[in-house]
Amino acid sequence: MISIRSLDLSAVDHLGPRARRCIYWQTDGDSTSGTPGDPEFEKEAWISHVSLEWGVCGQIARAADRPAAAAFYAPPGMIPRASCFPTSPVGADAILLAGMSVEGSAPAGVLTSLLDAVVVDLRSRGIKAIEAFGVTSENTGEIASRDGCGADSCVPATSFLIEHGFTIIAPHETHPRLRLDIQSEHLWKADVERALDQLFAERGFATRRLGVLSGASARAQAARSRAPRY
């Protein structure tokens, strides 16, 4: 079972080793600026700064009481890497999805659950949209270097983002920029249903039949059902 909690200053120790050491988004990739210091310290300092200045900046997923994955997000001005992509800059009204780190042996569907939680949090704060830089190729060049963070990837696949409702607004061969508009009534309704399901499940009651999706999961399923079949 996957459980998710918001990332604040009290939850840093709940991050898995990959998420805690990845500082790809917290550096600008400029080799002239020197080698970053201790990755864990750098990451914790960034979380502390953003949390104090802006608020919750991530979601943490756990499975079998172990770290499974984490997603980070913040205004683009607080993310050094945000201006380094060929499809920069991020829209002025959007929050940037700044990395989705998956730990080893994480269960299937964990990234969808994380994205659901990100959408719920940002909509509750009046945010209009989420933008993200996707990656479409394994040969991504220096722009997608991992700065020694040790993670397999901290830039989400373009295909994953599209499956979950994002649309490409700045095309590029390897690093398109995508956007998800999150202020809409039908998505709000899906999130209410999701919250009610979770509340009742915690008390041992079922509210809907298993397999009914909401939030990002529902958008992914709807997109697949509309896709042409050959």
Side-chain angles (χ1 to χ4, degrees):
M1 181 178 178
I2 299 172
S3 63
I4 296 181
R5 65 166 297 174
S6 296
L7 172 62
D8 54 25
L9 295 177
S10 66
V12 173
D13 289 339
H14 292 271
L15 289 170
R18 284 184 172 178
R20 190 158 186 173
R21 291 184 60 82
C22 176
I23 53 172
Y24 174 74
W25 293 94
Q26 287 71 45
T27 59
D28 60 11
D30 183 359
S31 60
T32 63
S33 62
T35 303
D38 176 70
E40 292 191 16
F41 176 81
E42 295 275 342
K43 190 60 167 281
E44 187 168 345
W46 180 82
I47 293 170
S48 176
H49 168 70
V50 178
S51 297
L52 292 173
E53 294 291 328
W54 182 68
V56 170
C57 59
Q59 300 291 327
I60 304 172
R62 295 178 66 85
D65 202 31
R66 292 182 298 180
F72 302 92
Y73 48 93
M78 293 184 165
I79 302 171
R81 185 73 63 164
S83 62
C84 299
F85 286 82
T87 47
S88 299
V90 174
D93 62 343
I95 293 302
L96 178 60
L97 182 63
M100 299 182 80
S101 298
V102 180
E103 305 297 326
S105 68
V110 66
L111 290 183
T112 293
S113 297
L114 275 176
L115 188 55
D116 265 341
V118 172
V119 170
V120 170
D121 175 50
L122 291 179
R123 189 180 303 115
S124 71
R125 295 158 71 175
I127 302 300
K128 181 179 180 180
I130 307 171
E131 292 193 11
F133 296 103
V135 61
T136 61
S137 169
E138 293 182 1
N139 183 20
T140 53
E142 293 182 1
I143 189 66
S145 68
R146 301 299 180 242
D147 297 326
C149 69
D152 291 338
S153 177
C154 47
V155 180
T158 300
S159 58
F160 169 83
L161 295 171
I162 291 174
E163 287 172 359
H164 290 76
F166 284 78
T167 57
I168 295 176
I169 57 172
H172 188 266
E173 182 179 359
T174 58
H175 294 91
R177 178 163 51 90
L178 301 93
R179 179 181 176 97
L180 176 66
D181 293 303
I182 60 177
Q183 291 292 353
S184 65
E185 183 177 351
H186 75 280
L187 294 182
W188 174 83
K189 181 177 182 294
D191 289 330
V192 170
E193 291 173 348
R194 177 176 177 272
L196 288 173
D197 284 349
Q198 182 176 352
L199 177 64
F200 276 78
E202 290 172 353
R203 287 159 175 76
F205 299 101
T207 58
R208 294 186 295 172
R209 66 183 186 277
L210 294 178
V212 175
L213 305 177
S214 64
S217 303
R219 292 192 296 276
Q221 180 67 28
R224 285 192 291 270
S225 66
R226 292 194 300 269
R229 293 180 173 85
Y230 300 98

